[in-house]
């Protein structure tokens, strides 16, 4: 805990400071036309702040430094597709889940040898270490090549230096949509589901307030609307299959 | 207690008085026990083999090297080096009494000739710049370089550089002028111009201590000649005594080798 | 290169230029000038005969040169708040880069000072100058000649190192390139544009260096 | 620092040490040695009287020093495959660092060569030595004395710069720190451990430098 | 076509023959038209004011400077500098004829004395190392430094360094020895030792061209003296002719200034 009440501090300042990457499309990025920060996570954060009755202020920070920023009180919460896992639960105050996503396997369009996780065994898969999809690929027996981000993973895939990359369906779909790239396809699902949450400092009383706000956004349909705007489907509920 | 008297003292016979001066660098004893006096307006020439300690004597007089023992008095300033520690103030007071002309001139390369001369008076002695410049131009006339005031050192010949070095030392109005082999780095044709300036200064009554191998200069200009060997003054006297009729074998050999290198 | 990429690059030219002029260049210049001041102090400490003083300077230089700049930035921006000292991004970046330049340039300045012949110190002291005056009026002007080429290396490295400031929320050139690239995944193209900007800045600085060197050489024979 | 973080740091010490020894250090050494060879060639080209030759060397140096190393790594690893040339991560990193060291060290070597008095060239030619023999037996051994301190700067920078190789899949020290940090986002703590390792390597290199300098000084008066 | 004859030629009177030698640096003409001959086994002394071109004559003979016009023949090698371009091979052939001793010795500081001497024979002439070392030790005995074979240059005095420089030049077995003011950078006491070595070489029949201001050496050792001024030989003859009874006013002034710097 960071001493006093975070919620009180946010309320009295009238501002919720949100750490986000700003270079992670379609979740948190700059609109090329207006240069405004936008994206799914950005809008979710805004909606949460609205419910809390405060303004939102985004602090753009690279992923590597984003939790250092949270800990050193540069901002109050991280809204940037933070995936829930037990280690993180131990270190940070995590909200309830606001997005579910499925793992998918992306391959070259002309490669039909991989259709399921099982087929990854012994093959090369490019993974960003900061996502937990690396874990999934490794567990499936893939030879994991570490990369900085999704773009580099796709580049290696297209240069035939790896055979696949396991990632969030949302990320792959957005890539295909924004680049029109026909060289890459979704070859199969992993069957994993990951849960994205808002992170705050450990023990922060903001978690409860954010959870309440998220519940309200879910019930009044705001989250669903945002999801459909960015992904064409509702990813704010737990998938059934 | 160290003694540093800067108040006027009664007139004495000598301007410089050195006694029991000793100096070692690490284990290596360079000066053993040097005693000599310099009368005001006189020229003292120091000769001796390489490594005998000539430069160290001059540097001790100027306090560039701090002696280990002995006393040095120049004018009204006296420092007893046996009393430790010798303070910065004492060093500065002693140094201010004399001007030094180096073998390798050490002019400030980034300053013009005039700026070289005014650096001491203006930057260190805080004298008025205009006045210092006027005086500097006079000094340049004295050394025959009036028209070079705005040149940079690299634009001068070796002999001219050395003459600027002399003028720079004079510019701080020292009581005593020290010269360390001022002509030995010069082209033989240029030696004359520097020796002539020094001869003029002597004629004008400047007190000078000169290390040189120019035996002829010593013969013509010196009032006393000191022959140094192994950190000790082994002969002293008039030029005639020391140069023409040396008493020691060492001095005889040395003079012979300089005057007749081919024998 | 397809049309879309070309358009993206063209669109980015303006914003990247703005970031260069309003952020990368000021950050570089301010940090460098302050860094030189620190470096001079550290160099003089390192030359001190008092062992404790020169020891402190040694450790400072060793730590600064021995650890990644990124970490130095992180400690100042994310670490110091734990001790109750909090800086905004730009000042934090200036502090980190200043201290970094201070460590690197200290060694350059020290060796430049040592390259001035001892005779110059002695000549200055014979005409009555003290330590400070000699340093300021005699030694440093001459040391500058030796120091300019390696210092310009430090400066040129700094230009590129300022890109690390993006990690502590300073919106400089590389950050703007990343922002422009994110929606379209064209990181490669936009990094290329950024590289050209960096190169142009470095070229301009190299010309500046040549000019300075020529000026410094006016008092030595050709 | 809480218990969990302490445990994380302790657990990481072994793997980080392994990465330092098996990856960071070999990458540094191989690239540096090859880089020196490139640098010597570029330096000699830069000294050539043929304008085209010295011009090529100039452009090379300017591009290498004027653009971020990160981008040079990206171009060689992600960019060259577009031209049909593809390297594995480690070789790609070696190539990039070699070319980078080549650009920086070239200027150092050039000025060290120029610092050897012209009289040494002339004396060598009067006893009949040609260009290559003079360079190898007379000039370079003397230039080494001048070149060692700035080259050791280049080497120490290289140690830290190898951390950039993590961006092209080389599992070096920083990468292992990132991997260890990823599950818990404790980047800060693990970067700290990495920084200590970098510092130790740099310290060791500094000692090596002092030793070399002492050896070089055996033929000059104290 | 350039002429470079390396085949034996019929015996001639002179070892060296220079004619019409001219050299400019940029706009600045340093040598106008230099002609002289050097008989085998003779000593030629070049004197003249600073900047008159003495060093440039020696450097042209050794092809360190490539002349603009004129011919130089040393032994069997003749180069006509009017024929452009002068090839590297010609330069190397001419240079191999002579050994050069510099004012500032230019010993290789990172090599021992012995290695300095064997560098030329072994590294350049590809002679056998053992044989070269044996010969080098003989040369060191000749210059009186047999016991310094393993010292580094910095451990020697100036006079010793200069003597090593002479031995190094001899080590490549040149037909002709060139000396450029070999004693002017030395302590006056050390001048003698170097001049004596040179006197010995002359007595042994080495052919030498020497630039020096040591008038006494010229008087005792030279077979011919050339007085250079403004890139032209203005006087030539025996030492008695040029040094004692110079024909031109310029030479008279010059000699006067060197011999009587204080007048
Ligand atoms: N700073 C120093 N450290 C150690 N030894 C020194 C130092 N200065 C001088 N010496 C030694 O002291 C001795 C005397 O030196 P000094 O320069 O006074 O001799 P000198 O008579 O001026 O000789 P020269 O005619 O060669 O100039 C020499 O052996 C010299 O090596
Ligand atoms: N490499 C060069 N470039 C330009 N000018 C030069 C060069 N070498 C010599 N000179 C000029 O040529 C002239 C003659 O030089 P040289 O060295 O031959 O004279 P010198 O008679 O040996 O003089 P000194 O007695 O001073 O050694 C001088 O004016 C000198 O400045
Ligand atoms: Mg001396
Ligand atoms: Mg000459």
């Amino acid at each position: 805990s960071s001493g006093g009440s975070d919620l009180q501090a946010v309320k009295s300042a009238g501002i919720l400071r949100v750490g986000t990457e700003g270079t992670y499309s379609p979740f948190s990025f700059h609109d090329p036309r207006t240069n405004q920060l936008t994206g799914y996570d950005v809008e979710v954060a805004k909606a949460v702040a609205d419910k809390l009755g405060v303004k939102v202020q985004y602090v753009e920070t690279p992923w590597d430094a984003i939790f250092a920023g949270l800990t050193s009180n540069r901002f109050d919460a991280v809204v940037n597709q933070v995936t829930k896992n037990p280690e993180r639960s131990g270190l940070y105050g995590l909200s309830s889940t606001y997005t579910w996503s499925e793992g998918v396997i992306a391959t070259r369009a002309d490669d039909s040898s991989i259709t399921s996780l099982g087929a990854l065994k012994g093959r090369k898969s490019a993974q960003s270490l900061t996502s937990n999809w690396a874990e999934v690929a490794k567990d499936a027996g893939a030879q994991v090549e570490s990369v900085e981000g999704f773009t580099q993973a796709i580049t290696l895939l297209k240069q035939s230096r790896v055979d696949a990359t396991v990632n969030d369906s949302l990320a792959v779909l957005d890539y295909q949509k924004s680049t029109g790239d026909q060289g890459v396809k979704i070859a199969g699902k992993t069957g994993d589901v990951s849960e994205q949450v808002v992170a705050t400092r450990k023990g922060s009383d903001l978690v409860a307030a954010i959870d309440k706000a998220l519940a309200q956004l879910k019930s009044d349909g705001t989250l669903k609307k945002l999801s459909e705007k960015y992904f064409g489907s509702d990813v704010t509920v737990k998938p059934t299959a | 207690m160290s003694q540093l008297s800067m108040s006027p003292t009664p007139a004495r016979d000598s301007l410089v008085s050195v006694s029991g001066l000793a100096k070692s660098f690490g284990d290596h004893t360079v000066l053993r026990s040097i005693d000599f006096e310099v009368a005001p307006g006189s020229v003292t020439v120091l000769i001796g083999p390489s490594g005998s300690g000539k430069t160290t004597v001059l540097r001790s007089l100027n306090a560039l090297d701090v002696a280990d023992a002995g006393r040095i008095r120049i004018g009204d300033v006296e420092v007893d080096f046996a009393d430790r520690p010798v303070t910065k103030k004492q060093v500065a007071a002693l140094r201010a009494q004399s001007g030094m002309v180096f073998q390798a001139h050490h002019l400030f390369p980034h300053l013009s000739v005039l700026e070289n001369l005014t650096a001491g008076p203006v930057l260190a002695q805080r004298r008025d710049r205009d006045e210092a410049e006027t005086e500097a131009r006079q000094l340049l006339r004295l050394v025959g370089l009036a028209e070079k005031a705005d040149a940079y050192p690299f634009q001068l010949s070796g002999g001219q550089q050395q003459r600027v070095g002399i003028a720079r030392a004079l510019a701080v109005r020292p009581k005593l002028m020290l010269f360390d082999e001022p002509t030995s780095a010069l082209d033989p044709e240029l030696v004359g111009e520097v020796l002539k300036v020094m001869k003029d200064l002597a004629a004008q009554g400047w007190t000078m201590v000169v290390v040189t191998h120019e035996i002829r200069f010593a013969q013509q200009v010196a009032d006393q000649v000191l022959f140094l060997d192994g950190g000790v003054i082994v002969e002293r006297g008039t030029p005639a005594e020391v140069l023409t009729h040396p008493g020691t074998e060492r001095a005889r050999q040395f003079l012979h080798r300089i005057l007749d290198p081919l024998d | 290169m397809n049309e879309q990429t070309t358009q993206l690059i063209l669109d980015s030219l303006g914003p990247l230029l703005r970031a260069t002029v309003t952020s990368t260049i000021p950050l570089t210049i301010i940090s460098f000038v302050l860094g030189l001041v620190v470096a001079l102090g550290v160099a003089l400490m390192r030359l001190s005969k008092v062992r404790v003083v020169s020891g402190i300077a040694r450790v400072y230089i060793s730590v600064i040169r021995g650890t990644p700049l990124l970490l130095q930035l992180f400690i100042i921006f994310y670490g110091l708040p734990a001790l109750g000292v909090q800086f905004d991004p730009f000042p934090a970046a200036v502090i980190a880069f200043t201290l970094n330049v201070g460590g690197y340039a200290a060694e350059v300045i020290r060796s430049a000072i040592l390259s001035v012949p001892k005779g110059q110190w002695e000549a200055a002291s014979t005409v009555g100058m003290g330590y400070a005056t000699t340093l300021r009026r005699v030694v440093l002007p001459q040391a500058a000649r030796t120091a300019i080429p390696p210092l310009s290396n430090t400066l040129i490295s700094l230009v590129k190192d300022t890109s690390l400031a993006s990690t502590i929320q300073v919106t400089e050139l590389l950050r703007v390139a990343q922002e422009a690239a994110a929606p379209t995944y064209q990181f490669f193209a936009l990094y290329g544009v950024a590289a050209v900007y960096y190169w142009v800045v470095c070229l301009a600085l190299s010309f500046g260096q040549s000019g300075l060197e020529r000026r410094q050489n006016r008092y030595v024979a050709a």
Side-chain angles (χ1 to χ4, degrees), chain A residues 8-211:
Chain A
Q8 221 166 5
V10 166
K11 289 259 161 123
S12 64
I15 289 172
L16 177 69
R17 296 169 304 160
V18 172
T20 191
E21 270 185 277
T23 53
Y24 187 17
S25 177
F27 307 102
S28 169
F29 64 100
H30 288 258
D31 183 313
R33 273 173 301 279
T34 62
N35 202 31
Q36 287 300 306
L37 184 65
T38 183
Y40 173 69
D41 282 17
V42 168
E43 292 205 38
V44 169
K46 168 97 173 52
V48 168
D50 284 349
K51 290 288 180 210
L52 294 178
V54 294
K55 287 211 165 94
V56 66
Q57 180 193 331
Y58 302 104
V59 181
E60 293 179 55
T61 303
W63 182 251
D64 277 9
I66 221 163
F67 285 87
L70 179 66
T71 320
S72 61
N73 199 24
R74 295 279 168 188
F75 34 81
D76 308 304
V78 177
V79 185
N80 198 83
Q81 295 290 297
V82 175
T83 303
K84 191 171 172 181
N85 73 11
E87 290 96 339
R88 290 169 195 171
S89 302
L91 282 165
Y92 309 105
L94 303 183
S95 75
S96 58
T97 303
Y98 68 91
T99 303
W100 276 266
S101 59
E102 286 182 287
V104 295
I105 307 161
T107 64
R108 281 181 295 282
D110 57 9
D111 184 353
S112 53
S113 66
I114 298 172
T115 52
S116 68
L117 261 189
L120 276 182
K121 196 173 171 64
R123 309 292 293 272
K124 285 187 178 171
S125 181
Q127 299 302 149
S128 168
L129 278 176
T130 48
S131 85
N132 32 340
W133 300 117
E135 208 63 27
V136 171
K138 205 178 288 171
D139 290 346
Q143 219 180 306
V144 170
E145 302 281 346
S146 330
V147 293
E148 282 291 284
F150 183 66
T151 317
Q152 280 95 325
I154 292 289
T155 308
L156 289 181
L157 181 60
K158 294 182 65 182
Q159 288 173 354
S160 302
R161 298 162 96 163
V162 297
D163 305 303
T165 179
V166 177
N167 211 313
D168 198 301
S169 55
L170 303 179
V172 179
L173 288 171
D174 180 71
Y175 171 75
Q176 288 179 320
K177 192 174 119 199
S178 20
T179 62
D181 189 347
Q182 303 293 316
V184 176
K185 68 173 183 195
I186 290 179
K189 295 187 177 184
T190 65
D192 290 276
V193 172
S194 76
E195 302 180 29
Q196 328 303 336
V197 297
V198 176
T200 65
R201 279 178 289 278
K202 183 79 186 162
S204 171
D205 56 357
L206 260 180
V207 179
I210 290 173
D211 280 349

Side-chain angles (χ1 to χ4, degrees), chain B residues 54-56 103 180-181 211:
Chain B
K54 307 180 294 295
T55 295
T56 308
Q103 177 182 13
D180 192 6
E181 304 196 31
V211 173

Side-chain angles (χ1 to χ4, degrees), chain C residues 98-183:
Chain C
T98 296
L99 294 178
N100 192 264
V101 168
Y104 279 89
E107 284 295 270
V108 170
I109 292 179
R110 180 177 71 100
S111 79
I113 288 177
L114 288 175
S115 79
V116 175
K118 221 178 119 223
Q120 291 290 315
W121 287 94
E122 298 198 334
S125 85
T126 17
V127 298
M129 295 188 203
Y131 176 81
T133 312
T134 304
L135 193 68
R136 212 157 51 84
R137 310 301 290 249
V138 174
V139 173
L140 289 182
Q142 294 182 56
R145 235 172 81 76
T146 321
I148 284 171
L151 284 183
S152 87
N153 274 351
T154 307
L155 175 58
I156 283 173
S157 302
L158 180 60
V159 172
K160 293 167 291 154
D161 288 343
T162 56
S163 64
L164 291 177
S166 64
T167 58
I168 61 164
Q169 306 171 11
V170 176
T171 311
E172 47 60 73
L173 177 49
L174 193 72
R175 169 78 201 181
V176 173
Q178 285 170 338
E179 286 175 9

Side-chain angles (χ1 to χ4, degrees), chain B residues 48-50 181 184 186-189 191-193 195-196 199 213-214 216-218 220-221 250 253-254 257-263:
Chain B
S50 178
E181 304 196 31
S184 66
L186 297 181
D187 266 357
E189 259 201 306
V191 168
E193 64 184 67
L195 291 181
K196 258 173 239 154
K199 209 173 155 182
H213 294 290
E214 295 290 335
R216 200 174 319 211
F217 173 83
Q220 292 186 16
V221 182
R250 187 68 192 89
Q253 271 182 14
F254 173 80
R257 232 178 278 162
I258 286 198
L259 296 169
D260 278 307
L262 276 165
D263 286 359

Side-chain angles (χ1 to χ4, degrees), chain C residues 23-221:
Chain C
S23 185
T24 297
I25 291 179
L27 186 56
T28 304
I29 292 176
I30 297 174
S31 308
F32 189 69
V33 171
L34 295 179
L36 285 185
V37 175
V38 172
L40 178 61
V42 174
L44 294 178
M45 285 174 66
R46 178 89 166 68
L47 289 168
S48 164
K49 272 177 210 117
V50 185
R51 293 203 114 205
V52 182
V53 174
S54 77
I56 291 170
R58 254 170 206 281
V59 171
Y60 174 78
I61 292 168
S62 159
V63 170
I64 289 287
R65 300 203 307 176
T67 56
L69 176 53
L70 182 66
L71 191 91
Q72 295 165 18
L73 277 162
F74 274 25
I75 286 179
I76 287 172
F77 191 71
Y78 298 113
L80 284 191
L83 307 176
V85 191
Q86 187 156 323
F87 297 104
D88 281 345
F90 195 86
V94 168
I95 292 171
F97 290 126
T98 296
L99 294 178
N100 192 264
V101 168
Y104 279 89
E107 284 295 270
V108 170
I109 292 179
R110 180 177 71 100
S111 79
I113 288 177
L114 288 175
S115 79
V116 175
K118 221 178 119 223
Q120 291 290 315
W121 287 94
E122 298 198 334
S125 85
T126 17
V127 298
M129 295 188 203
Y131 176 81
T133 312
T134 304
L135 193 68
R136 212 157 51 84
R137 310 301 290 249
V138 174
V139 173
L140 289 182
Q142 294 182 56
R145 235 172 81 76
T146 321
I148 284 171
L151 284 183
S152 87
N153 274 351
T154 307
L155 175 58
I156 283 173
S157 302
L158 180 60
V159 172
K160 293 167 291 154
D161 288 343
T162 56
S163 64
L164 291 177
S166 64
T167 58
I168 61 164
Q169 306 171 11
V170 176
T171 311
E172 47 60 73
L173 177 49
L174 193 72
R175 169 78 201 181
V176 173
Q178 285 170 338
E179 286 175 9
T184 53
Y185 299 93
Q186 299 270 14
F187 287 96
F188 204 58
L190 282 156
Y191 282 6
V193 177
V196 171
Y197 278 112
Y198 282 116
W199 189 37
V200 169
V201 173
C202 292
L203 267 188
L205 291 175
S206 301
F207 281 118
Q209 174 192 351
S210 309
L212 260 185
E213 282 182 32
R214 229 172 299 115
R215 228 176 78 91
Q216 289 292 326
N217 282 337
R218 77 193 181 286
Y219 60 80
V220 291

